[in-house]
Amino acid sequence: EETAPKYAAAEKLYKEGEQEDNKKKLRKALTLLEKIEPEFRGKPQGERLVFMLGDTYYELGDYFNAPFQFERFLQLYPNSQKAEEARYKIASSFYHRSPKFNLDQTDTRKAIEELQVYLNTYPEGEFVSTANDMATDLRIKLEKKAYEIAKQYHHTEFYKAAIASFNNFLADYPGSPFREAAYYYRFDSAYKLAINSFQVLMEERLKSAKEYSVSYKKYYPQGEYLPQMEASLNEIEKKLQNF
Amino acid sequence: QDLPLGDSKKYTIGEIKVTGTTTYNEKTVIAYTGLKKGEEIYIPGEKLRSIINKLWSLDLFSDINFYLTNVDGNVADLELEIKEVPVLYQVKFDGVKKKSERDKLIDENGLKPGVKVTENLITTTKNYIENKYRKEGYFNADVAIRTSEANDSVGANKVNMVVDINQGNRVKISDINFIGNEELSDSKLKGTMKKTKQKNPLRFWKRSKFVRADYQTDKAALIDKYKEEGFRDARIISDSLVKKDDETIALTINLEEGNRYFVGNIDFLGNAAYTDDQLSRLLGVKKRDVYNGVVIDERIQSREPNKTSIANIYQNNGYLFSNIDLVETNVYNDTIDFEVRIVEGKEAYFDEIRVTGNTKTKDHVIYREMRTKPGQKYSQEAVVATIRELGALGFFDAEQLNPEFVDPDPREGTLSLEYQVVESGASQIELQGGYGGGGFIGTLGLSFNNFSIQGLFDKDAYTPVPMGDGQTLSLRAQASTFYQTYSLSFREPWLGGKRPVSLSTSFSYTRQFLFDYVNREADKSRSFDILGVNVGLAKRLTDPDQYVTLSNVVGFQRYNLNNYNTGLFTFGNGHSNNLYYKLGIIRDNTAFNPIFPTQGSKFDFSAKFTPPYSLWNGVDYANLQDMDEYQLRDDNGNLINYEGHRVTPENSVPDQEKVDQKKYNWLEFYKIKLAGSWYETLANFGGNSNLVLKTHAEFGFLGAYNNERGVPPFERFYLGGDGLGSYSLDGRETIQLRGYPNQSVVPLDRPADSRDDGAVIYNKYSLELRFPITLKQAASIYALSFLEAGATYDNFRDYNPFQLNRSAGVGLRIFMPTFGLLGIDFGYGFDDVVGQQGPNGWETHFIIGQQF
């Protein structure tokens, strides 16, 4: 039949395109692959074809079609030699889909999930270190999101909301690079809330701000926010003498 | 395992042949049967029987037979004859006109090309459709399904299906009989049944019909009516439907009214947050009142946001986990004592506030608008207000905003909230070209409603334009052979991100050359330029409430004339500057959908001032025309009169151009405007179908500080027509008054041939009834009808708020996110305009891009 030469042509374009990083060739390969793929269903070349199709999408940066095709590939040929690569590239596609921290993070969560699936299935796999880096990247992104939202409450002077959000942040993300800042801004929110309070509420709030400064200093005795904090603490001590 | 049946014999299978199949390979079929050559079987036997069953169960065949074709000793050749069920090629509907309805029937019955047309399919389809019509009141619906072989060259064994639907007439209700009603009259009961109506030739707007679902609702309404009147126990014992003839049915409803009850003692139990007094005031029911079950229930349990109820005050003040029950404790004679049992539960606080679905709009733009904050006490009102604020942004589909409670924990007293948003197109593009005003005109307009200036420097943000910071950027350029106009405006709604202080800036420049209509070309030596710049700051206030916005604008406009006479100025050479400050106060609590508000009101007050130059510049404006330097002279500086003859100084005449140039070199005026709109939902027809009344009134006044200098011919009010501000070079305000030609409603006491240079006072009132046709994301459409009246005046001596030009009419509005608002109105003007006798009559107005 005439599909065989088409298969050969597509494979050639795919290989060359991938090696030379040539988008034009890859796009040509894609057109051919999409066309002949249905005819090879159930045939021996089918396995290679579905993988190539997914990989061409992947190389071309179509991270919506790529995971779909790889997912299909894994369903059809779960024992394929290429299964590990497909699994990794599904996760990696979601990694690339993950938007900026201040937008909807559904894809980020999905990517972390997929990376975890890869890491659990192939703990000794070829892509383990990249996958780990990606997962860390994405986790920091989620941490940044939560931190920035809490920080916005501080900025817009909704100090109670800021304290509640920083509390949640500190409980949810141990080991985050934003922890020190979170500890400091939690203190600062409590401090600003206190000094702007009515007289009856002030003492209690000043004390609670003081407690927050203690937990900051415990973890960051040489912290970069110490000078500002000391200045605020002086103010707190002065005010506390009125009670 | 094979077993013999009856007097069967054991054979060894020889050849197996399959006949009658068209779509399946012979080998495939044999493989499926599991029979092999050389195998021993009984004929007839259990094995053959189970093979036939197996084939049957595939639902692919309508006939299956085994034949013995040749027997040689104990070797038998077998033939399997099968007849395939035909597949559907095309289905046609007779008697259904609408394509959407046909598609729906195809969908619901699975009549896609390629399905196997079995008897079962035909029967279920027929029953399904007949039932469907019955439910809608077509009791005589009749469906016939015919199949015929399809003449399809591609594959045989296909059939066409014709579904012939004869829906017949809807049955009408000839009589509704009530049995057992003594306290409420038949007609009162019939009145409560809103959809199920008895046949009546005089009521032509709502025809009698019988729809089962509506009938069930109406029966519930009937019982509610009794409950409102104190008949707590009223019930329908039975109801029957009698078919009188093919077209009519009669309904008989058998009621038991029970006794009328009155309110006895009311006790509140379990309330700690509110006192008995507060709650009973809220309940608003006194001892010996008629026991109105519906109202009592609503005042206690209703969770609808705008209703006053005990449940709501708890919900709005942190008691998410509260539970309120009404228990009747004692019934004696005609009196009911009851208890309101309240379980207040723990006060709930918001833990986390999350947003999902924002694929373009950044977090900070959304979070800053929210009324629900972490650590704050739960309030149903705040959730509703947040939805309104997010809807008003215009970045999300207002109809799909969805708050979801996550992990409500009654023991800890916490809950998280997740707002699910759906982004909607927030940019509008205008690109047009065409002939007009004697030449080609091209327009390019871009308006980005969720722009991000920060994104301009980030190459990843171009998708295709940087978006998501909630800023607005509009660019517009228009050019033709004789004029060009450019404008650019930018708005940041939260300058600094701390408070909603909006910064808006705009710049515009228009240059126009004199157009020579005879030679059809522009005279580049004669021109008219306008330059405009303004900067404004607006701030949402917290006092007196959160709906008030205060705005300040400083603006400057410069008009430059170069041997160019327009209707605006009496001089053709010179310039005029307009430097002003404008203060605006707006209170807007309209809700929920900005395209189609259903409640709330909007007030808009503005005052615009220029500096009072004449206070200090020492110019004697009253006597300008008598001064020597403002007398008419020829090119050599000799005094002349209007005919151009030289005159002596005693007979000199003023040069009006020079006088006016002096008067208007810096414009001096103040302008006050006031407008108010109220939206009220008159009736709800389920879902978003609200009939809304918009009441609107507005007033404007333009004045001068110095009467000698006078009110400039700028910034004036032009009433009438569609109100679109087309070509407004002179800062004029065009005010909509439908039913009259554009800008035609001039002060009544002007002479018929006066030049229309706008009025200095106007007022306008309107009533508009609006009803939505659809409020989907792709397009919001609503119909409206209006009554309007307005008038303009030259001064307060003539001002008469009741001497108005009135009009009425109907119209339609379509809002599509990419195009903005489009609309058409037909208005009838009842009064005459200056220069015309009799009513103005019908006018058609096209509305483009004007919102609200």
Side-chain angles (χ1 to χ4, degrees):
Chain A
E1 283 194 57
E2 57 173 327
T3 44
K6 278 188 187 159
Y7 175 86
E11 189 172 27
K12 188 166 170 262
L13 280 166
Y14 160 75
K15 273 189 180 152
E16 287 175 3
E18 198 167 35
Q19 246 151 40
E20 302 162 22
D21 195 20
N22 186 332
K23 293 254 145 79
K24 213 170 144 192
K25 282 189 179 166
L26 284 169
R27 265 193 288 275
K28 277 187 181 170
L30 184 64
T31 327
L32 273 176
L33 288 168
E34 277 174 336
K35 213 185 215 162
I36 60 176
E37 192 272 331
E39 296 173 37
F40 281 92
R41 279 181 198 169
K43 292 188 183 165
Q45 299 99 314
E47 179 180 342
R48 175 121 181 90
L49 240 163
V50 180
F51 184 86
M52 283 198 288
L53 188 57
D55 203 37
T56 315
Y57 279 125
Y58 181 83
E59 291 292 328
L60 284 171
D62 183 341
Y63 299 119
F64 287 85
N65 277 312
F68 175 76
Q69 292 297 348
F70 283 128
E71 204 69 69
R72 244 189 83 209
F73 175 77
L74 287 175
Q75 251 170 32
L76 291 169
Y77 313 104
N79 300 319
S80 166
Q81 281 194 329
K82 289 281 194 183
E84 184 193 339
E85 193 176 339
R87 182 51 74 199
Y88 164 73
K89 283 184 171 169
I90 288 170
S92 168
S93 295
F94 280 104
Y95 172 81
H96 283 107
R97 268 163 68 166
S98 161
K100 286 225 162 75
F101 77 90
N102 49 19
L103 299 174
D104 182 21
Q105 296 298 311
T106 310
D107 281 336
T108 309
R109 292 201 183 82
K110 178 86 180 142
I112 291 176
E113 221 172 83
E114 291 290 345
L115 284 165
Q116 205 54 58
V117 171
Y118 171 78
L119 289 167
N120 292 346
T121 326
Y122 305 99
E124 308 287 323
E126 186 183 348
F127 306 101
V128 162
S129 84
T130 358
N132 270 321
D133 288 350
M134 282 178 171
T136 309
D137 230 29
L138 296 174
R139 283 198 191 99
I140 290 177
K141 191 184 275 189
L142 291 181
E143 287 159 14
K144 183 168 173 64
K145 186 185 186 75
Y147 170 73
E148 290 292 342
I149 289 170
K151 183 83 192 303
Q152 188 182 7
Y153 289 126
H154 173 268
H155 183 63
T156 50
E157 299 173 4
F158 287 96
Y159 293 121
K160 279 189 201 165
I163 295 168
S165 294
F166 281 122
N167 277 333
N168 278 339
F169 176 85
L170 291 168
D172 293 348
Y173 302 105
S176 160
F178 305 103
R179 271 182 96 75
E180 183 185 349
Y183 272 114
Y184 171 70
Y185 282 110
R186 181 174 67 165
F187 159 76
D188 196 51
S189 301
Y191 164 67
K192 294 216 163 103
L193 179 68
I195 58 168
N196 290 311
S197 298
F198 290 114
Q199 201 68 16
V200 281
L201 295 167
M202 198 186 276
E203 188 183 2
E204 194 194 326
R205 289 183 177 175
L206 286 170
K207 283 181 177 158
S208 114
K210 231 171 114 180
E211 275 168 38
Y212 286 140
S213 79
V214 173
S215 44
Y216 175 89
K217 284 186 192 163
K218 186 173 124 201
Y219 293 107
Y220 306 98
Q222 310 292 327
E224 58 170 313
Y225 295 99
L226 265 184
Q228 293 107 294
M229 189 178 270
E230 289 302 340
S232 304
L233 280 171
N234 278 338
E235 191 71 18
I236 290 176
E237 290 303 338
K238 231 189 277 168
K239 295 238 168 185
L240 274 176
Q241 277 164 16
N242 299 336
F243 296 97
Chain B
Q1 180 65 37
D2 197 10
L3 291 168
L5 282 176
D7 51 349
S8 59
K9 227 181 120 186
K10 205 175 196 176
Y11 292 98
T12 305
I13 300 177
E15 299 294 321
I16 308 172
K17 215 168 89 184
V18 179
T19 57
T21 173
T22 51
T23 39
Y24 306 102
N25 188 314
E26 190 170 348
K27 283 194 184 117
T28 319
V29 178
I30 294 171
Y32 188 79
T33 61
L35 292 173
K36 280 188 216 72
K37 195 175 166 179
E39 189 182 347
E40 289 195 327
I41 56 165
Y42 288 105
I43 297 176
E46 183 62 30
K47 181 132 193 189
L48 282 187
R49 210 178 63 95
S50 73
I51 289 170
I52 292 176
N53 276 344
K54 197 165 139 193
L55 288 170
W56 262 121
S57 66
L58 288 174
D59 252 355
L60 297 173
F61 309 110
S62 59
D63 203 6
I64 303 164
N65 290 303
F66 272 107
Y67 298 111
L68 271 176
T69 45
N70 188 22
V71 180
D72 183 5
N74 71 339
V75 176
D77 292 350
L78 284 177
E79 179 184 334
L80 170 61
E81 186 200 50
I82 54 181
K83 204 166 151 198
E84 286 179 31
V85 169
V87 297
L88 185 61
Y89 181 58
Q90 255 185 346
V91 60
K92 254 177 72 180
F93 287 93
D94 279 351
V96 186
K97 287 210 185 78
K98 269 198 214 149
K99 189 177 180 300
S100 61
E101 210 154 301
R102 289 198 300 259
D103 289 347
K104 217 168 147 197
L105 285 176
I106 289 177
D107 234 38
E108 287 162 347
N109 291 293
L111 301 177
K112 295 264 153 55
V115 301
K116 305 284 174 193
V117 182
T118 56
E119 276 304 314
N120 184 33
L121 179 77
I122 292 174
T123 319
T124 49
T125 305
K126 178 179 152 79
N127 288 342
Y128 178 85
I129 298 174
E130 280 180 358
N131 268 327
K132 183 173 168 147
Y133 278 97
R134 293 236 163 99
K135 272 188 204 150
E136 293 183 11
Y138 296 96
F139 272 61
N140 304 311
D142 182 40
V143 176
I145 298 178
R146 297 187 304 271
T147 56
S148 59
E149 216 159 284
N151 295 320
D152 176 25
S153 54
V154 194
N157 205 17
K158 291 193 174 174
V159 289
N160 285 331
M161 187 191 267
V162 179
V163 182
D164 193 353
I165 298 172
N166 182 2
Q167 66 177 34
N169 286 323
R170 263 195 168 135
V171 294
K172 291 180 178 159
I173 303 161
S174 66
D175 291 295
I176 302 178
N177 301 313
F178 296 101
I179 299 171
N181 58 319
E182 282 163 14
E183 299 286 339
L184 298 185
S185 69
D186 281 8
S187 61
K188 199 164 197 174
L189 293 178
K190 282 175 189 170
T192 60
M193 299 179 73
K194 293 285 179 244
K195 293 275 174 67
T196 313
K197 293 285 183 197
Q198 190 173 315
K199 210 164 77 178
N200 181 350
L202 293 178
R203 194 191 51 241
F204 47 84
W205 61 90
K206 191 162 222 164
R207 313 236 330 251
S208 166
K209 64 186 175 194
F210 182 80
V211 178
R212 198 165 287 276
D214 291 341
Y215 178 55
Q216 298 300 344
T217 328
D218 283 346
K219 281 200 290 188
L222 208 64
I223 295 303
D224 275 351
K225 180 75 198 168
Y226 269 105
K227 284 191 178 157
E228 281 170 26
E229 303 276 343
F231 295 94
R232 176 190 73 136
D233 301 330
R235 63 191 181 107
I236 293 172
I237 302 169
S238 65
D239 62 317
S240 57
L241 182 159
V242 179
K243 204 165 171 184
K244 295 196 103 176
D245 53 52
D246 274 356
E247 303 262 303
T248 50
I249 56 168
L251 295 173
T252 307
I253 297 173
N254 204 343
L255 291 160
E256 189 182 277
E257 291 182 325
N259 296 325
R260 175 175 263 169
Y261 290 95
F262 297 89
V263 175
N265 295 321
I266 309 169
D267 285 320
F268 295 96
L269 296 179
N271 51 316
Y274 296 94
T275 63
D276 287 5
D277 247 19
Q278 285 172 313
L279 294 179
S280 90
R281 228 174 300 132
L282 201 74
L283 187 58
V285 175
K286 291 190 302 290
K287 207 167 171 175
R288 296 311 298 163
D289 278 355
V290 167
Y291 188 90
N292 182 340
V294 176
V295 164
I296 289 174
D297 217 47
E298 193 178 286
R299 295 269 170 79
I300 291 175
Q301 317 251 25
S302 174
R303 292 281 297 270
E304 275 178 62
N306 296 313
K307 294 260 164 69
T308 332
S309 73
I310 294 178
N312 267 349
I313 62 160
Y314 274 100
Q315 287 297 324
N316 289 336
N317 291 287
Y319 293 95
L320 170 70
F321 304 112
S322 60
N323 193 6
I324 294 149
D325 273 323
L326 174 70
V327 181
E328 292 175 0
T329 46
N330 199 2
V331 182
Y332 48 98
N333 302 329
D334 59 349
T335 308
I336 300 175
D337 290 346
F338 62 87
E339 282 176 9
V340 181
R341 291 187 186 160
I342 300 168
V343 181
E344 292 186 338
K346 215 173 161 148
E347 274 183 286
Y349 289 84
F350 291 120
D351 183 22
E352 253 184 88
I353 308 290
R354 294 179 216 156
V355 178
T356 57
N358 56 324
T359 51
K360 291 180 194 150
T361 309
K362 295 180 186 167
D363 284 344
H364 71 97
V365 174
I366 303 170
Y367 278 89
R368 67 194 185 192
E369 301 290 345
M370 289 188 173
R371 299 285 166 79
T372 49
K373 313 266 182 211
Q376 191 186 52
K377 212 188 271 181
Y378 164 80
S379 153
Q380 181 178 260
E381 252 173 352
V383 178
V384 173
T386 302
I387 291 295
R388 184 186 52 225
E389 296 293 337
L390 295 184
L393 283 176
F395 308 150
F396 308 115
D397 184 354
E399 305 292 321
Q400 285 188 56
L401 286 169
N402 185 15
E404 193 150 296
F405 290 177
V406 183
D407 316 323
D409 184 342
R411 251 191 293 157
E412 289 288 314
T414 57
L415 80 155
S416 292
L417 258 188
E418 181 170 306
Y419 290 95
Q420 296 164 352
V421 302
V422 178
E423 300 263 2
S424 68
S427 302
Q428 293 171 21
I429 294 178
E430 173 195 18
L431 180 63
Q432 50 179 241
Y435 279 89
F440 180 80
I441 303 176
T443 307
L444 173 67
L446 293 171
S447 155
F448 306 108
N449 289 335
N450 190 2
F451 194 71
S452 166
I453 279 273
Q454 289 87 332
L456 282 177
F457 309 105
D458 176 2
K459 70 173 171 41
D460 294 334
Y462 285 81
T463 56
V465 267
M467 286 186 63
D469 273 321
Q471 298 155 344
T472 313
L473 178 77
S474 348
L475 296 156
R476 204 178 134 88
Q478 191 169 46
S480 78
T481 43
F482 65 100
Y483 81 90
Q484 296 143 24
T485 157
Y486 308 96
S487 62
L488 171 86
S489 70
F490 172 75
R491 193 174 98 90
E492 159 62 65
W494 281 65
L495 189 65
K498 210 174 195 107
R499 295 270 179 275
V501 176
S502 104
L503 167 78
S504 37
T505 57
S506 77
F507 166 85
S508 70
Y509 177 70
T510 304
R511 183 177 191 113
Q512 181 165 355
F513 297 108
L514 191 73
F515 190 71
D516 181 345
Y517 285 91
V518 182
N519 297 322
R520 307 193 65 76
E521 61 186 31
D523 182 353
K524 301 262 161 134
S525 67
R526 304 173 69 182
S527 65
F528 174 35
D529 298 350
I530 304 172
L531 171 77
V533 180
N534 65 57
V535 178
L537 271 182
K539 188 177 170 188
R540 203 196 277 170
L541 303 182
T542 43
D543 286 317
D545 62 30
Q546 75 265 31
Y547 303 116
V548 180
T549 308
L550 176 77
S551 69
N552 300 280
V553 179
V554 175
F556 173 72
Q557 258 161 331
R558 181 179 173 86
Y559 303 86
N560 212 339
L561 294 134
N562 177 18
N563 195 13
Y564 190 108
N565 283 297
T566 72
L568 303 178
F569 299 89
T570 48
F571 48 90
N573 264 311
H575 59 84
S576 178
N577 299 307
N578 183 359
L579 173 68
Y580 63 86
Y581 162 73
K582 184 178 169 186
L583 169 80
I585 299 171
I586 295 176
R587 182 180 186 275
D588 183 354
N589 68 341
T590 55
F592 293 90
N593 183 343
I595 312 293
F596 190 81
T598 52
Q599 51 171 278
S601 60
K602 183 175 178 177
F603 297 96
D604 188 342
F605 166 81
S606 78
K608 193 170 177 179
F609 308 95
T610 63
Y613 308 101
S614 56
L615 270 185
W616 62 75
N617 68 3
V619 177
D620 182 4
Y621 289 103
N623 295 315
L624 277 182
Q625 35 212 2
D626 300 332
M627 288 187 209
D628 184 49
E629 58 201 288
Y630 295 104
Q631 303 306 304
L632 192 63
R633 290 165 202 270
D634 63 13
D635 293 344
N636 301 322
N638 302 311
L639 291 169
I640 52 171
N641 66 10
Y642 292 130
E643 281 78 43
H645 304 302
R646 290 188 57 174
V647 291
T648 55
E650 307 80 80
N651 295 327
S652 70
V653 290
D655 183 340
Q656 199 58 43
E657 281 202 21
K658 270 191 187 158
V659 173
D660 283 354
Q661 161 72 70
K662 185 72 188 165
K663 263 183 164 172
Y664 303 133
N665 61 350
W666 287 89
L667 297 181
E668 192 178 306
F669 65 90
Y670 65 94
K671 183 154 91 173
I672 311 288
K673 283 193 302 172
L674 199 57
S677 306
W678 293 260
Y679 295 89
E680 198 173 349
T681 299
L682 299 181
N684 178 292
F685 299 94
N688 292 324
S689 300
N690 290 307
L691 179 68
V692 174
L693 176 69
K694 177 192 176 188
T695 313
H696 177 85
E698 60 180 285
F699 166 83
F701 168 60
L702 177 68
Y705 304 115
N706 181 330
N707 284 328
E708 263 89 53
R709 198 169 181 182
V711 180
F714 282 70
E715 301 272 351
R716 293 191 174 206
F717 303 113
Y718 291 79
L719 183 64
D722 51 32
L724 299 182
S726 58
Y727 218 64
S728 49
L729 299 176
D730 51 356
R732 67 174 56 184
E733 310 236 6
T734 52
I735 294 121
Q736 185 183 58
L737 183 66
R738 292 165 285 191
Y740 295 94
N742 284 355
Q743 310 182 3
S744 67
V745 185
V746 299
L748 275 178
D749 34 16
R750 284 197 189 166
D753 56 346
S754 73
R755 198 174 68 111
D756 177 18
D757 53 359
V760 297
I761 305 170
Y762 86 95
N763 56 11
K764 181 195 152 181
Y765 315 98
S766 83
L767 284 174
E768 202 170 285
L769 267 179
R770 298 170 163 193
F771 189 76
I773 295 165
T774 169
L775 294 175
K776 293 272 163 60
Q777 183 184 11
S780 301
I781 305 175
Y782 65 86
L784 59 91
S785 65
F786 62 85
L787 291 172
E788 286 187 330
T792 59
Y793 314 93
D794 279 324
N795 53 54
F796 272 112
R797 270 191 316 273
D798 301 334
Y799 181 67
N800 177 354
F802 302 107
Q803 187 188 60
L804 301 162
N805 281 49
R806 297 156 301 173
S807 66
V810 294
L812 196 70
R813 294 284 181 283
I814 301 176
F815 178 86
M816 285 178 282
T818 36
F819 293 105
L821 191 81
L822 303 171
I824 184 167
D825 283 334
F826 303 99
Y828 184 87
F830 296 107
D831 296 294
D832 55 335
V833 293
V834 166
Q836 179 194 320
Q837 293 296 316
N840 182 62
W842 287 101
E843 295 281 341
T844 305
H845 307 287
F846 294 97
I847 315 287
I848 300 166
Q850 184 194 37
Q851 289 203 11
F852 318 120

